[in-house]
Amino acid sequence: MPKRRGTGPMPDVFETFAHRVDEADATAPPVDAVTVAKGAGISLGLIVLAGLAFVLGFWTGTQNEPELAYDHLVWEAVIKVGFAALCGLLAAAVVLALATLAIGLPWVRRQRERRR
């Protein structure tokens, strides 16, 4: 049987790690609100784009169902919904990958230009 800890007072986590939170990093660049807002806007746009791609992929999957003979009605439902969900996930993944490339490549070019 494992030994239990004593019932003494628990250490204060905020006091233990206060030096990590209170000290500001002098080498870090300041974060401005415009950069945060642009990042949040891009993230929200990617979420909406992925959601739309999933819905369109799911709809496409329901229109192009595989022609199979099913033994049971439950298996038919599982396979049809699974196929449509797989089509939706694939569409969302492809759209996210293309959007990330479309956003990331110009950003990398700008970063390289700044370093020169």
Side-chain angles (χ1 to χ4, degrees):
M1 180 173 227
K3 202 175 196 181
R4 288 189 159 195
R5 286 186 70 183
T7 58
M10 294 292 292
D12 188 7
V13 175
F14 296 110
E15 285 184 19
T16 305
F17 297 105
H19 64 283
R20 294 186 183 183
V21 177
D22 294 337
E23 295 175 4
D25 187 10
T27 61
V31 178
D32 58 338
V34 175
T35 304
V36 173
K38 282 172 58 176
I42 289 172
S43 298
L44 186 63
L46 287 175
I47 290 169
V48 169
L49 192 63
L52 288 174
F54 177 80
V55 169
L56 289 174
F58 191 91
W59 179 77
T60 303
T62 60
Q63 302 302 313
N64 302 312
E65 296 170 347
E67 295 293 328
L68 300 172
Y70 303 102
D71 287 339
H72 199 274
L73 187 63
V74 174
W75 286 116
E76 181 179 3
V78 167
I79 290 174
K80 286 185 176 188
V81 170
F83 180 74
L86 185 65
C87 289
L89 288 174
L90 183 63
V94 167
V95 167
L96 271 179
L98 292 175
T100 304
L101 280 175
I103 293 169
L105 288 177
W107 182 81
V108 169
R109 287 187 186 131
R110 283 194 307 269
Q111 296 301 317
R112 287 184 179 172
E113 293 292 325
R114 280 188 197 161
R115 290 184 184 166
R116 289 184 186 174

